[in-house]
Amino acid sequence: AGRRRFTQRDVINQIELLCIGGVSADIILGVPGIPATGEKLLARFISQQPGGIVSNTACAAARLGLRSAWAGTIGGDESGRLILDGFEDFGVDTSLVSIEGEMATDFTVILLDPSGERTILVVPTTPSPPKLNDDVYQACQICKVVYLPPYPPIWFKRTADPVHTGGGLVAVDVESSSPVKGVDLVQVMENTDLVFCNPRGLEHITGLTDPDKGSWEVLKLGPVCVCVTLGENGAIAFTRNERVYQPGFDVPVIDTTGAGDCFHAAFINEYLAGRPLEEILRFANAAAALSIQHIGPRTGLPTRGEVLTFLRESDSD
């Protein structure tokens, strides 16, 4: 089957979530432990899968029922084909994708230890930030949410402005490894509505790891909601008027890769539905709990019905 075409009518009537950048081909290796300097370990090849923090969220959102598209640059190699096939599997529109035939696609090497925790080596090969065309900016003006990592402030504002002009929201996932930091990251926050991070990402923004103190500093910059994920301990979210904590679910952990990406998609899905913050967090925690019971970032992505079933069963226990 060919890629879905992103027509003008699609832009106006269909796309709810536009994800930009943050794509990779993931090489997943099983290791007995994380190697120390100079150590040689025997690794076990598990798989090569499409991944990336933003593209995983696009697939997770589509699986939950949001009409999603992805824009960015990939190479014309086998990894690029893997990325496109992965989007197609989840019904994510790829008509805004730019394919550079002579370029290698971004990839990662994921080291998965016996506990299910992982270490990720990121190997960027395509331009960052991605080059965007007029079609992407038009989609930004019409969709409900644009989700992306922090990029340099001039590029970021140029992308955020049409989103806000059209009445949409800008959502950002801030990781501690983000090359955008300091004053540049502050300017990004000033053009963002929803901020996702873990305590290390919060420290990257504010210098503070305490969710209450750090999130309040972020809110003062302009975002309307800050969500701090706490791994197995759940998540906590803040607005200017609310502070809501929801614990995580006790489930068998197979692979935590992509759990945060799934959480973000679930949060956005329920946020757009206008649900209370407490329900949003509980739903997102449940979606992430389902995802970590499978190998790889996308194998266990749940439907909304599956999340609701899990929540009902948890209530009855």
Side-chain angles (χ1 to χ4, degrees):
R3 288 188 288 148
R4 292 178 55 208
R5 299 312 302 164
F6 192 102
T7 67
Q8 182 68 18
R9 185 171 181 178
D10 288 330
V11 175
I12 295 173
N13 296 326
Q14 294 189 18
I15 300 305
E16 297 173 298
L17 173 66
L18 174 60
C19 296
I20 300 177
V23 71
S24 65
D26 294 343
I27 302 170
I28 305 174
L29 305 177
V31 294
I34 303 306
T37 301
E39 185 179 14
K40 182 183 290 186
L41 295 178
L42 184 63
R44 173 174 57 91
F45 177 78
I46 296 176
S47 66
Q48 182 174 7
Q49 301 178 8
I53 59 173
V54 175
S55 56
N56 287 338
T57 297
C59 293
R63 180 80 169 145
L64 290 166
L66 274 182
R67 297 185 293 273
S68 305
W70 184 83
T73 304
I74 59 174
D77 53 4
E78 286 300 315
S79 293
R81 182 69 255 176
L82 181 71
I83 296 296
L84 292 178
D85 289 345
F87 283 137
E88 186 176 312
D89 288 342
F90 287 90
V92 176
D93 194 289
T94 57
S95 294
L96 295 173
V97 176
S98 175
I99 302 174
E100 299 291 339
E102 301 302 317
M103 190 176 293
T105 300
D106 291 359
F107 68 95
T108 66
V109 178
I110 299 174
L111 305 180
L112 184 64
D113 72 20
S115 73
E117 291 300 323
R118 78 277 191 254
T119 296
I120 302 178
L121 308 176
V122 180
V123 186
T125 57
T126 59
S128 182
K131 297 177 182 178
L132 305 182
N133 57 34
D134 290 341
D135 289 338
V136 177
Y137 290 123
Q138 185 177 15
C140 287
Q141 192 169 359
I142 298 172
C143 66
K144 294 180 180 178
V145 177
V146 167
Y147 176 84
L148 69 174
Y151 285 120
I154 294 176
W155 183 99
F156 194 92
K157 187 176 189 304
R158 186 184 177 197
T159 304
D161 281 349
V163 181
H164 292 142
T165 297
L169 300 172
V170 176
V172 169
D173 174 21
V174 181
E175 297 195 334
S176 59
S177 59
S178 170
V180 179
K181 56 187 176 181
V183 175
D184 285 350
L185 188 53
V186 167
Q187 292 179 34
V188 168
M189 293 296 100
E190 291 171 348
N191 289 281
T192 299
D193 303 292
L194 305 178
V195 178
F196 297 103
C197 59
N198 59 22
R200 294 184 302 278
L202 186 63
E203 184 179 22
H204 189 69
I205 304 170
T206 66
L208 302 168
T209 57
D210 178 80
D212 290 84
K213 294 179 181 178
S215 295
W216 181 243
E217 291 302 314
V218 177
L219 287 171
K220 288 195 293 187
L221 297 175
V224 297
C225 182
V226 178
C227 181
V228 182
T229 53
L230 305 171
E232 63 182 11
N233 294 318
I236 185 168
F238 301 84
T239 68
R240 290 176 180 82
N241 302 311
E242 282 187 283
R243 176 192 187 277
V244 178
Y245 168 75
Q246 279 289 315
F249 293 91
D250 186 12
V251 297
V253 178
I254 304 300
D255 182 4
T256 60
T257 306
D261 310 328
C262 179
F263 177 98
H264 301 164
F267 188 103
I268 291 170
N269 189 74
E270 300 302 289
Y271 191 92
L272 287 177
R275 308 195 193 284
L277 199 52
E278 183 176 353
E279 292 182 17
I280 294 172
L281 280 182
R282 190 162 185 268
F283 183 92
N285 281 341
L290 288 170
S291 76
I292 64 175
Q293 298 180 61
H294 303 266
I295 288 285
R298 300 182 186 177
T299 308
L301 294 178
T303 64
R304 189 167 191 276
E306 289 169 342
V307 178
L308 294 176
T309 297
F310 175 84
L311 288 172
R312 285 194 297 269
E313 292 174 349
S314 296
D315 290 338
S316 65
D317 290 342

